[in-house]
Amino acid sequence: MRLQHVRLLLQKRDHLLPGRGRVHAVVTCVREPRRTVSTGPKKESNVKSASSILGKRWKDTAETVIIGGGCVGVSLAYHLAKAGMKDVVLLEKSELTAGSTWHAAGLTTYFHPGINLKKIHYYSIKLYEVLEEETGQAVGFHQPGSIRIASTPTRVDELRYQMTRGRWHPNPQYLIGPEKVKELFPLLNIDKVLAGLHNPGDGHIDPYSLTMALASGARKYGAQLYFPAQVTNLTPRPDGTWNVGTPHGTIHAKRIVNATGFWAREVGKLLGLDHPLIPVHHQYVVTGTVPEVKALKTELPVIRDLEGSYYLRQERDGLLFGPYESQEKMKLQDSWVTHGVPPGFGKELFESDLDRIMQHVEAAMDMVPVLRNADIINIVSGPITYSPDLLPMVGPHQGVQNYWVAIGFGYGIIHAGGIGKFLSDWIIGKEPPFDLIELDPNRYGKWTTTKYTALKARESALGELGWELFHKRQDTSVLYNKIMQAGDEEGIDNFGTYAMNALRLEKAFRGWGAEVRYMYPGLGKTH
């Protein structure tokens, strides 16, 4: 089925069958065979020895138990073991990459609008460049670069602003004109292109191969990876350590790390915590061979059309593109929040829904015209996890001793390497290696209800460059105090402080408070 025919089919269907809201027969997604996983411990008489099921000797003590075998959890196991920690154990309920990792599009980029997370991205890419040589495991890493397309004057201003901050990090970044954009991506329609932000070294990696390479490295340095090994209970001991219950036995752990992706809420509930996370449907489309792509001598860079709100990259001799859906159309899997994730869900997909992303398909066909005649071979629609502000939650959790989290990753592939290193350094060195307060899991509290999480996740999903707050200069002092006072009436401690940190650190306005006080000397004396 060609993309332009899909559009016509949808238009014809809507005319003949008004009110019907889904495409069921346009494309059938290729799915891996479903694997059913036990939801709890079996009776002792039915339990085989752990060594016969897992293929290795069971450890009943560990310094660190990591729960979750996606790319983030496996990266942490790799980094802890490589740093010399003994007795690192990872527990995965079904198989490595199950959940969100296996179906990810695998994008990698040096770019981030915030200064601190750029360090995470930078480390990840540098690790992925050498991981195959270190472990002997192929990772399928492609680095054709990327271009962020600006097609409005406001977006060009944003790219210029990002260029002023480019020297914070050693990776190169260039502001390029339409001609250079066309040279790098010859299949692009540049009628609307005003400029592009070019990041050499960006690209994409195979998520499965990446995780297997990290797992190979983790084992090489002494970590134990057990699967299938579902965590069934978590019991704190008086000395602050943990008993981690599984069908194979109990592990006594000094600390535990929740890295379970969209299962994070379930693990949190074992401790009486309600992590503010919600699963979201993310779709991307894969085409068959496109003759114009096959004829190219070099791989196309990844493009991100910021107005069309989608990314597009080469996939073999075809193309892969996926949208960042608008808040009105993005679909939340809120039933998983209220009723829990289905026990056997691991390497399954949701039903695709082309209706929901058709505006992005139109934008992509306009920007890359060869898409119009491209054959769709697959539509992937799988769960990813959002927090209210779309940033992950990383670090020790307040109120629960020796409980750490690495959860809420909407972009786990590019974060995995850097977050594994960051957390490893923090756990071993007792202090974080640099400031990542925007990822502090304690920025949320009991006030983050399910309704709040769902509404804020929709509101925050406005694309990579985030949101901007425009105001008149003379209103700055009022705005500053209002933000700092936010939450006071509800008794929310530090709410305004976290908001200000988000503005300064994540959006790079680090000196905003100081600058405002310089302009308005009497401002904010009580805070």
Side-chain angles (χ1 to χ4, degrees):
M1 179 71 70
R2 292 183 174 176
L3 279 172
Q4 62 178 354
H5 295 157
V6 170
R7 177 178 57 182
L8 293 173
L9 184 149
L10 291 175
Q11 291 172 346
K12 184 176 181 180
R13 183 213 62 194
D14 290 341
H15 175 69
L16 296 175
L17 300 171
R20 187 171 178 178
R22 267 196 186 202
V23 178
H24 294 291
V26 174
V27 179
T28 301
C29 288
V30 178
R31 302 189 184 189
E32 295 196 8
R34 180 168 181 160
R35 181 173 182 175
T36 303
V37 184
S38 171
T39 60
K42 299 179 181 179
K43 293 182 179 179
E44 190 66 30
S45 60
N46 295 327
V47 178
K48 297 180 180 179
S49 68
S51 60
S52 65
I53 296 174
L54 301 173
K56 62 185 71 176
R57 183 173 175 273
W58 179 256
K59 290 176 66 70
D60 56 10
T61 61
E63 191 166 353
T64 299
V65 167
I66 301 160
I67 309 170
C71 59
V72 174
V74 177
S75 174
L76 178 56
Y78 162 85
H79 283 93
L80 285 172
K82 186 175 182 179
M85 179 177 285
K86 307 301 181 184
D87 296 328
V88 176
V89 171
L90 181 144
L91 302 174
E92 162 55 42
K93 71 186 296 291
S94 56
E95 57 185 297
L96 299 184
T97 76
S100 295
T101 297
W102 74 276
H103 63 74
L107 300 183
T108 58
T109 178
Y110 286 113
F111 180 86
H112 193 277
I115 291 171
N116 293 329
L117 275 168
K118 273 188 176 179
K119 298 176 185 177
I120 298 295
H121 288 208
Y122 182 84
Y123 178 88
S124 291
I125 289 176
K126 292 306 178 186
L127 172 64
Y128 302 164
E129 288 176 345
V130 301
L131 194 58
E132 182 172 339
E133 181 180 355
E134 178 185 343
T135 65
Q137 171 79 43
V139 297
F141 195 19
H142 297 247
Q143 293 183 275
S146 77
I147 306 171
R148 283 166 176 77
I149 302 296
S151 53
T152 67
T154 300
R155 197 65 77 175
V156 174
D157 286 344
E158 172 63 25
L159 300 189
R160 286 175 177 154
Y161 169 65
Q162 290 297 334
M163 285 301 298
T164 66
R165 305 167 60 224
R167 293 185 182 179
W168 279 83
H169 295 277
N171 53 288
Q173 180 173 280
Y174 305 101
L175 184 63
I176 58 177
E179 296 79 11
K180 184 65 176 179
V181 172
K182 182 72 171 180
E183 177 186 333
L184 294 170
F185 200 111
L187 304 182
L188 208 65
N189 171 16
I190 62 167
D191 289 349
K192 298 179 182 178
V193 176
L194 301 179
L197 194 69
H198 179 215
N199 290 98
D202 284 9
H204 54 96
I205 194 167
D206 175 37
Y208 180 86
S209 298
L210 168 64
T211 306
M212 293 304 142
L214 290 167
S216 175
R219 294 186 186 102
K220 172 183 174 181
Y221 297 117
Q224 294 293 327
L225 280 60
Y226 294 135
F227 54 93
Q230 181 180 359
V231 172
T232 55
N233 59 78
L234 295 168
T235 306
R237 294 165 61 124
D239 62 353
T241 60
W242 291 89
N243 286 338
V244 182
T246 79
H248 311 295
T250 298
I251 301 176
H252 177 209
K254 183 177 180 179
R255 69 183 60 81
I256 55 177
V257 183
N258 182 352
T260 53
F262 56 71
W263 289 93
R265 290 179 61 91
E266 268 69 15
V267 172
K269 287 177 181 178
L270 295 176
L271 312 176
L273 298 175
D274 191 11
H275 293 309
L277 301 169
I278 193 161
V280 178
H281 291 227
H282 178 63
Q283 299 186 95
Y284 61 82
V285 177
V286 184
T287 77
T289 296
V290 177
E292 294 87 346
V293 174
K294 187 175 183 179
L296 296 170
K297 303 298 183 183
T298 58
E299 184 175 352
L300 293 166
V302 179
I303 65 167
R304 291 171 175 84
D305 181 356
L306 303 176
E307 303 310 320
S309 193
Y310 65 87
Y311 58 83
L312 181 146
R313 68 168 175 84
Q314 186 171 335
E315 174 70 6
R316 299 187 181 183
D317 291 330
L319 297 167
L320 179 155
F321 70 97
Y324 302 108
E325 297 179 37
S326 65
Q327 64 178 9
E328 295 83 11
K329 291 191 175 182
M330 67 183 292
K331 184 171 182 179
L332 309 180
Q333 192 65 22
D334 45 14
S335 65
W336 287 8
V337 176
T338 54
H339 303 299
V341 182
F345 198 98
K347 283 198 168 182
E348 289 72 37
L349 294 170
F350 298 130
E351 185 176 13
S352 60
D353 186 356
L354 273 173
D355 281 358
R356 217 171 63 239
I357 63 172
M358 208 57 208
Q359 69 184 80
H360 306 287
V361 172
E362 295 275 3
M365 290 192 297
D366 185 49
M367 187 66 74
V368 186
V370 296
L371 273 174
R372 296 183 184 279
N373 294 317
D375 294 321
I376 300 175
I377 62 170
N378 200 3
I379 301 177
V380 175
S381 179
I384 59 175
T385 309
Y386 280 176
S387 69
D389 60 8
L390 268 60
L391 292 174
M393 301 164 64
V394 176
H397 203 286
Q398 276 183 354
V400 187
Q401 192 173 359
N402 293 320
Y403 173 64
W404 296 63
V405 296
I407 56 180
F409 291 89
Y411 311 98
I413 304 303
I414 186 56
H415 287 153
I419 290 296
K421 172 66 171 171
F422 178 82
L423 271 181
S424 173
D425 287 352
W426 192 349
I427 289 171
I428 293 174
K430 311 299 183 186
E431 292 287 341
F434 56 89
D435 188 1
L436 264 181
I437 194 171
E438 59 265 51
L439 305 191
D440 182 2
N442 306 297
R443 67 188 186 271
Y444 299 118
K446 293 182 179 179
W447 47 272
T448 48
T449 62
T450 299
K451 181 179 179 180
Y452 172 89
T453 300
L455 289 173
K456 290 300 292 184
R458 287 185 182 277
E459 181 182 296
S460 299
L462 298 179
E464 282 189 319
L465 296 180
W467 51 268
E468 298 178 8
L469 185 61
F470 295 99
H471 63 88
K472 296 178 180 179
R473 189 178 184 88
Q474 60 266 32
D475 293 336
T476 299
S477 60
V478 175
L479 172 63
Y480 183 86
N481 278 325
K482 288 293 184 182
I483 291 178
M484 293 305 293
Q485 293 165 5
D488 285 353
E489 294 181 0
E490 303 297 329
I492 303 171
D493 293 336
N494 297 325
F495 183 83
T497 301
Y498 279 118
M500 292 303 301
N501 281 330
L503 283 169
R504 288 201 302 268
L505 294 171
E506 180 58 23
K507 306 306 175 190
F509 301 136
R510 293 183 65 92
W512 195 48
E515 291 164 1
V516 171
R517 288 192 184 97
Y518 178 79
M519 292 186 293
Y520 304 94
L523 181 64
K525 288 183 177 180
T526 61
H527 294 85

